[in-house]
Amino acid sequence: MSTIIATVRNIPVTQDDNGRVHWQSGTAIDADGANGQNENKFAYRYPTNDGLDDIHGSAGYPNGAWQDILVNDGSSHPLTDGNGNAYSQTTYAWPGRPIPTRAVDATAVAYVVVNPHVRLNAMGVVIGCKAVLTYQGNSVTAVVADVSGPNDIGEMSVAAAEALGIPSSPRTGGVNDGVQFEFWPGTRAVVNGETYVLQRA
């Protein structure tokens, strides 16, 4: 038996008896966590705003809830590496790692961004769990690594989009429909040879 655990933007999200959570929707592209860990571009740059994504529109700086996305330098500004590259966060944080490598790198790791209602209502721990994304017959194994706004559904990392042949720009990419999202709460993800820790809310 399957149970609808949330409906977001008229899209039902279902959890099956075997624990699998799934839905089909379009997708936006997330750059959060891209902090140069793999010699790729940073998600955000400050103050120039010429990073992968828009520090104002996507990260909400300076008037939105930007401190949920960007690291605060202690004086109400984004923390940078000294060269204008601003450090961003993912909900998943690697235990014991310093700020530059603590988040999940959106440019290198296929990850899913989950709606907070889905995270709350799903049985089992969601952050750090195994996920699979499918689009036009192509699939990629991923990790659930970030949480979206309460009214958003369907978002994946830059790396996930690239693996699926989806336009991967956080500013202009994504598709309107046809993406199958699946994840298994309580089952630890293994992506790029790294095993993730399940992290409770």
Side-chain angles (χ1 to χ4, degrees), residues 6-200:
T7 300
V8 184
R9 293 189 173 179
N10 297 317
I11 296 171
V13 179
T14 301
Q15 185 162 30
D16 298 337
D17 282 347
N18 66 2
R20 180 180 73 122
V21 175
H22 55 97
W23 73 91
Q24 185 167 312
S25 67
T27 189
I29 310 300
D30 191 10
D32 293 353
N35 292 326
Q37 302 97 313
N38 294 280
E39 306 302 322
N40 295 329
K41 288 185 70 174
F42 276 60
Y44 304 101
R45 283 180 51 79
Y46 173 78
T48 55
N49 195 25
D50 56 349
L52 291 171
D53 209 350
D54 182 354
I55 200 168
H56 306 300
S58 292
Y61 183 81
N63 298 317
W66 64 272
Q67 294 181 63
D68 292 336
I69 297 173
L70 302 171
V71 178
N72 190 332
D73 70 356
S75 61
S76 298
H77 298 290
L79 178 68
T80 73
D81 65 351
N83 295 306
N85 296 303
Y87 290 111
S88 59
Q89 310 171 82
T90 51
T91 304
Y92 185 94
W94 283 106
R97 295 189 184 180
I99 287 172
T101 59
R102 185 176 302 164
V104 181
D105 183 357
T107 65
V109 177
Y111 73 64
V112 170
V113 184
V114 68
N115 177 279
H117 303 299
V118 174
R119 179 190 186 189
L120 180 65
N121 294 339
M123 294 291 293
V125 180
V126 170
I127 299 300
C129 82
K130 174 186 175 181
V132 172
L133 295 159
T134 303
Y135 179 69
Q136 295 185 343
N138 298 314
S139 295
V140 62
T141 299
V143 58
V144 180
D146 212 359
V147 175
S148 71
N151 299 314
D152 296 327
I153 186 78
E155 191 173 0
M156 67 178 64
S157 67
V158 172
E162 290 175 345
L164 294 174
I166 292 172
S168 61
S169 168
R171 294 177 184 257
T172 62
V175 292
N176 292 327
D177 54 39
V179 182
Q180 179 74 24
F181 289 80
E182 304 173 90
F183 62 83
W184 288 262
T187 299
R188 296 171 68 181
V190 181
V191 181
N192 298 347
E194 288 196 291
T195 301
Y196 284 73
V197 178
L198 295 171
Q199 296 182 343
R200 296 184 181 275

